[in-house]
Amino acid sequence: MKKALISLSVAAVLTGLVGCQDPVTSSNASAEAAQNSVSSQQATQLSFADFSQSFIDDLWLLAPTWAMYNGKHINDGYLDVPNQASRDKTLAFVVKQKGLLNTFNQDTLSANELIDYKLLENLVNKFEWEVNTFKSWQWDPSSYNVAGGFAQIINEDFAPLDERLISVIARLESVPAYYQAAKDNINNPTLAHTQLAIQQNRGAFSVLNDDLANKVAQSGLNAEQKAMFTSRFNSAKQAINTYIDWLTVLETDLQANGSRDFRIGEDLYEQKFALDIQAGMTAKQLYDKAVEDKNRVQAEMAKITTDIWAKHIDTAKPADDKLAIRQLIDVLSSKHVKREDFVDDVRKQIPELVKFVNDKQLITLDPKKPLVVRETPEYMRGFAGASISAPGPYEKGSNTYYNVTPLDDMTDESAESYLREYNHWILQVLNIHEAIPGHYTQLVYSNQSPSLVKSLFGNGAMVEGWAVYTERMMLEEGYGNFEPEMWLMYYKWNLRVIANTILDYSIQVKGMGEQDAIALMENEAFQQRAEAEGKWRRATLSQVQLTSYYSGYREIYDFREELKAEKGADFDLKQFHEQFLSYGSAPVKYIRQLMK
């Protein structure tokens, strides 16, 4: 999913840029001053390439932590305190960049430049919308967590350890002010985001722990630096614990007296969908398309079930197709790995996927770009069971991590349900999606794009859509030997992607409750109870992102089929894949324009 689940997504950093208090006159004054400072004469002298680089440079000065996640080390020791001053700077940046964008005649830009223009325009519009309209900095306590930045400095070997530890010491100084600002900002939060904040901030101590203290003690830092670390380290841990305690009291109050609804409603949902997905259709139109696709996929599953029923079940097949599909899936799902082998089994499957892609010549894989399967760090747990953390375009040679959450904390019942969901067949599809040739492969190509704008500010629907597209593509090319059981389970997985869109829209816009949501996932998408409950939780904590899988997949697959029909025997699948990915993580509708 994007770093944030796939790569560090724009949405993941927005709160860090705008997590401040209510608007005051100084915000408007700062923005006005920034606009007045933009000289039209200077702007017209900039080429678009110069402007794009200037935009990125200004953004990294505004948000050095975001730069660090992308491999650009501007000021790693700086931790932005999400207060009013931070809000002022963000709005000033927005107004300045809008003024510069307006000086360009879009008709004179090349196709590649125009796409970059649209991406930058969308980015600043999203910043502004988050500040003035969405205001999640007020109601989402989970957006405040310092662990990620520290983990990036400590775990990534981009500089000598002592140098990185000096940045850690500098960064620690602002942790108490950071969490004080967080408490000042939070107003009428949702219960779900408050509980997530408690869980994930407890996980921060997996980063700020004794191991870090030992690294400092054994380092080459001088006595004064080590003493400063100890003092700031203790203050930072106290600040995190104080925040957790404060949230725990808040949680009790919200449970007793009620809290803000996590649902954002139709107007905000459509606005967020337009900014996040950029799909050329409304959220309602995508929802309607997903409902149609759900019915089509269920029909395909019914055909397969009829064909292989007698192979697996001795009793007569029920007349009700959905009941028959569910019963067959239940029988097949008993084939899965042991809970203690879950992470290791994922690790073992990666070379098999690499070999298949290479043998079939589906896309060029770079053996010099490492993929490391690891247990999901504790501070990242509680949102998704598997994710990719990829390096940015400035550190293309750094590790890409495939985060897989072990099942240690689950009850036996929950673990069995989870393993039945990620059974023998679906676990392979998951690894295609997250790793080869899904997210990992796409993000390697994205980092090679000549356009930094497309690599840095990519479209989440394209990123997720590519991963979903590769699942079907691999099976079409013979992965799994066209085994009907594999296709049945693939359709079940694909139905989950479709159901994600239906579920997210139904919950956030139509007010669907938990029991109806669980019923949709279990009865219509044939999911296990643990998976359905996890998806409900995810849909209460995010908005729109769940639609990105289906939206991007549908656009990519339909475009490929269109080109195949046009080119006939001249169509080259490998060439299509490599050309498609060469444009970075741009919205599919723009890639389509370039390739056409």
Side-chain angles (χ1 to χ4, degrees), residues 134-397:
F134 197 52
K135 299 182 179 180
S136 61
W137 47 269
Q138 290 182 331
W139 51 261
D140 180 5
S142 70
S143 59
Y144 302 106
N145 192 327
V146 299
F150 283 105
Q152 192 74 11
I153 297 171
I154 296 164
N155 297 332
E156 294 298 326
D157 192 21
F158 57 83
L161 178 60
D162 284 3
E163 184 179 323
R164 288 183 280 129
L165 290 176
I166 290 171
S167 294
V168 167
I169 295 170
R171 198 175 185 86
L172 283 169
E173 182 180 19
S174 298
V175 172
Y178 177 98
Y179 280 106
Q180 183 58 54
K183 290 190 289 184
D184 291 341
N185 293 341
I186 294 168
N187 178 33
N188 190 26
T190 78
L191 176 60
H193 291 94
T194 301
Q195 292 171 332
L196 179 65
I198 294 170
Q199 176 188 353
Q200 292 191 332
N201 275 280
R202 284 173 178 160
F205 294 113
S206 67
V207 178
L208 301 178
N209 56 17
D210 291 342
D211 183 55
L212 172 60
N214 290 335
K215 279 185 170 71
V216 174
Q218 297 167 14
S219 72
L221 301 184
N222 61 41
E224 182 181 356
Q225 290 169 321
K226 290 179 180 180
M228 184 180 294
F229 167 80
T230 300
S231 174
R232 292 180 179 180
F233 183 61
N234 291 334
S235 295
K237 290 195 295 183
Q238 182 179 357
I240 296 171
N241 276 320
T242 299
Y243 184 59
I244 293 170
D245 292 343
W246 183 79
L247 289 174
T248 303
V249 173
L250 180 59
E251 176 191 21
T252 301
D253 179 68
L254 296 175
Q255 289 172 326
N257 301 312
S259 66
R260 175 194 178 106
D261 192 350
F262 62 82
R263 298 172 178 85
I264 63 174
E266 184 174 7
D267 289 345
L268 285 177
Y269 193 92
E270 286 287 1
Q271 292 168 26
K272 195 172 194 299
F273 181 86
L275 289 165
D276 288 358
I277 305 299
Q278 302 179 72
M281 70 180 83
T282 66
K284 177 61 166 60
Q285 289 169 333
L286 184 69
Y287 166 81
D288 291 339
K289 184 184 286 286
V291 171
E292 292 178 7
D293 252 1
K294 175 180 73 70
N295 297 331
R296 179 188 59 79
V297 169
Q298 287 175 343
E300 293 292 334
M301 296 176 76
K303 292 178 185 177
I304 296 174
T305 299
T306 298
D307 291 341
I308 66 173
W309 177 270
K311 178 180 174 183
H312 297 282
I313 301 177
D314 294 333
T315 58
K317 184 176 77 69
D320 185 319
D321 284 338
K322 290 179 184 177
L323 180 59
I325 294 168
R326 161 62 74 184
Q327 289 184 8
L328 181 57
I329 286 174
D330 282 345
V331 170
L332 295 175
S333 295
S334 63
K335 185 176 181 180
H336 60 69
V337 302
K338 297 177 181 178
R339 65 182 296 175
E340 62 268 23
D341 296 333
F342 186 70
V343 177
D344 285 340
D345 203 72
V346 169
R347 193 175 283 116
K348 290 175 184 176
Q349 286 184 15
I350 302 304
E352 298 172 10
L353 294 172
V354 171
K355 184 177 186 305
F356 182 86
V357 169
N358 288 336
D359 289 348
K360 291 286 186 176
Q361 290 291 294
L362 300 178
I363 192 170
T364 301
L365 299 175
D366 187 346
K368 298 177 182 178
K369 306 296 183 185
L371 174 63
V372 179
V373 180
R374 68 176 180 182
E375 292 188 4
T376 305
E378 288 186 26
Y379 68 90
M380 291 174 60
R381 296 183 187 181
F383 188 77
S387 65
I388 289 287
S389 296
Y394 299 111
E395 286 184 328
K396 301 175 184 179

Side-chain angles (χ1 to χ4, degrees), residues 481-510:
N481 298 315
F482 300 101
E483 182 185 22
E485 289 83 356
M486 174 64 91
W487 273 97
L488 179 69
M489 287 299 182
Y490 160 73
Y491 278 128
K492 174 185 182 294
W493 180 266
N494 186 243
L495 192 57
R496 186 170 81 163
V497 168
I498 297 167
N500 280 349
T501 291
I502 299 172
L503 181 75
D504 199 60
Y505 188 87
S506 296
I507 290 172
Q508 293 288 338
V509 176
K510 299 167 77 70

Side-chain angles (χ1 to χ4, degrees), residues 5 87 549:
L5 287 177
R87 180 192 182 91
Y549 305 87

Side-chain angles (χ1 to χ4, degrees), residues 54-85:
S54 174
F55 181 103
I56 293 168
D57 292 342
D58 284 354
L59 180 60
W60 293 161
L61 291 174
L62 178 71
T65 299
W66 193 2
M68 179 174 64
Y69 272 108
N70 283 285
K72 189 73 170 178
H73 300 280
I74 303 294
N75 186 2
D76 293 351
Y78 176 77
L79 174 65
D80 187 52
V81 175
N83 54 21
Q84 184 61 50

Side-chain angles (χ1 to χ4, degrees), residues 538-577:
R538 183 170 170 183
T540 66
L541 295 170
S542 66
Q543 319 83 23
V544 172
Q545 195 273 335
L546 280 171
T547 71
S548 60
Y549 305 87
Y550 175 68
S551 172
Y553 155 70
R554 193 72 267 170
E555 287 188 285
I556 295 169
Y557 192 85
D558 290 349
F559 175 45
R560 189 198 73 177
E561 292 302 286
E562 178 186 340
L563 284 184
K564 284 175 68 175
E566 289 178 4
K567 295 187 175 183
D570 293 333
F571 179 80
D572 185 310
L573 185 61
K574 182 181 181 183
Q575 182 184 15
F576 169 78
H577 290 157

